[in-house]
Amino acid sequence: MSLKTRIIPCLDVKDGRVVKGVNFVDLADVGDPVESARAYDAAGADELCFLDITASHENRGTILDVVRRTAENCFMPVTVGGGVRSVEDVRALMLAGADKVSINTAAVRDRAIVGRAAEKFGAQAIVVAIDAKRVNAPGAADRWEIFTHGGRNPTGIEVIEYARAVADLGAGEILLTSMDRDGTKAGFDLALTRAVADAVTIPVVASGGVGTLDHLVEGVLDGHASAVLAASIFHYGTYSIREAKAHMARAGIAMRMD
Amino acid sequence: MRIALIDYGAGNLHSAGKALMRALDEIGVTGHVVLGADPDEVARADRIVLPGDGAFRDCRDHLAAIDGLEEALHAQVRVRGRPFLGICVGMQLLADLGEERGETAGLGWIPGRVVALDPQSPGLVSRHLKVPHMGWNTLEARRAHPVLDGLTLGPAGLHAYFLHSFHLLPAHATDLLATADYGGPVSAIVGRDTIVGTQFHPEKSQRLGLKLLANFLKWAP
């Protein structure tokens, strides 16, 4: 088995500009997502993730332009998520140059969209993003539920059951974010990551909480994730992609060092 | 050099087009990439590239729906022998038959079937690796071919980006140019006559991908 574990930097994009600018020394425009994508391409990132957090529906076209310009300038795989509501939204992003499209709230509302999108574009192109929060009382059995709208809205849907269901419907990957850990730099919720990764036969990307390079290692070795996603530790230059890969390789994880 | 990049509604043409232009630059050949589905353009092309992101059946239906396109491809590739590159589903469509979401006939240019991956790993409790086969993997050459010239392959070699749940199993071993290892051999590159196909995405595979595309453009079978 020579498939390598992936490191995926994630850029939040609002109205066509990067929120929380990438802080690389050689970047002319820290707010330009295409410039940032190019920098990560050169740095050896295995994939790139754009999360569109544009508030108004009228400005949705800006992400298509970002994806198009990125695909023209970077020879790396790109996943795009945020505000994807329909199979038509998926198509528009794919035609603009996305390799994978991530669906979040729309799939929580109506799981059938996952099947329709997979039928059209193949399972390999459809990612389901899950925002999970621990809901069990301290000491009680682990239980996580899905929250939408940045972790504000509870849905009452149990995460493991939902992950299995969307995988059966044709999702090709799960992007799993712990809302408890997101932004804390305390590390992934490893119990959550492992529970989901072991429950499904599709790859799981661990997200939310990375603060150190050891956290990335734990996500794979303890969380059983196929890929690890992080934002701020890379954007602010705390660690480079190469440092992260070298660290994971030293821990015995097969990484692409090309 | 005229390169026809076939647009049949399957995604990600921009990256393929840009990567081909960059490959032209690298080999110092002037040329252009014509994106479209015009049979006359196919008839004029020196190289033909069929990309593909999508489900086998959906892509096959789209291809068949374009008036005169399959006839033009057949004449230019099978009769006149113009070099042809299929990428991902564009490679899978070369087979006789695809098994994704029901059986669908392919173009039948490379005898074989497109079957679901079933990667086994004795080391895992479940014995199954994750599907789709998603990410970067190395390649093993099965036989020499001009599109592989100068590529560093093997476990310590360059990586290719894969994103698929099915692969083409050629009926003839000589049609298999390279494999990847993922719980067993996965067909990575196939080739027969003036036709090659890659299961991975050369347009997303950085150094290995650009080199392979440059080799394909230089290839004069």
Side-chain angles (χ1 to χ4, degrees), chain A residues 108-209:
Chain A
V108 175
R109 287 202 187 115
D110 175 18
R111 295 176 192 187
I113 188 180
V114 177
R116 290 199 303 274
E119 177 127 15
K120 206 80 194 135
F121 307 104
Q124 85 293 332
I126 306 303
V127 180
V128 172
I130 298 177
D131 292 342
K133 251 189 195 180
R134 184 182 282 275
V135 292
N136 58 281
D142 286 340
R143 181 180 164 88
W144 298 270
E145 284 182 9
I146 298 195
F147 280 67
T148 59
H149 299 86
R152 291 191 302 277
N153 296 5
T155 65
I157 299 170
E158 199 270 321
V159 166
I160 310 296
E161 176 275 323
Y162 178 77
R164 283 204 181 102
V166 293
D168 287 345
L169 284 166
E173 187 169 61
I174 287 172
L175 169 53
L176 178 65
T177 303
S178 162
M179 301 312 288
D180 302 308
R181 296 299 179 90
D182 205 27
T184 65
K185 296 192 187 297
F188 297 119
D189 181 340
L190 295 172
L192 166 71
T193 309
R194 186 168 57 245
V196 175
D198 288 354
V200 296
T201 58
I202 59 177
V204 171
V205 182
S207 159

Side-chain angles (χ1 to χ4, degrees), chain B residues 61-146:
Chain B
D61 289 347
H62 275 95
L63 193 63
I66 299 166
D67 203 26
L69 180 60
E70 284 193 16
E71 292 80 355
L73 286 171
H74 187 271
Q76 196 68 350
V77 179
R78 306 292 283 155
V79 180
R80 296 193 200 104
R82 293 286 187 277
F84 172 97
L85 170 66
I87 298 172
C88 197
V89 179
M91 171 249 219
Q92 296 181 357
L93 289 170
L94 298 169
D96 297 315
L97 193 76
E99 296 182 357
E100 187 175 6
R101 293 186 180 251
E103 292 196 347
T104 308
L107 294 168
W109 293 358
I110 292 188
R113 298 168 76 87
V114 177
V115 303
L117 291 173
D118 183 21
Q120 305 283 320
S121 176
L124 294 178
V125 178
S126 68
R127 299 179 65 85
H128 290 279
L129 295 172
K130 303 276 186 173
V131 174
H133 174 217
M134 191 181 276
W136 297 86
N137 208 333
T138 49
L139 306 178
E140 289 292 335
R142 291 297 179 107
R143 77 171 170 86
H145 191 283

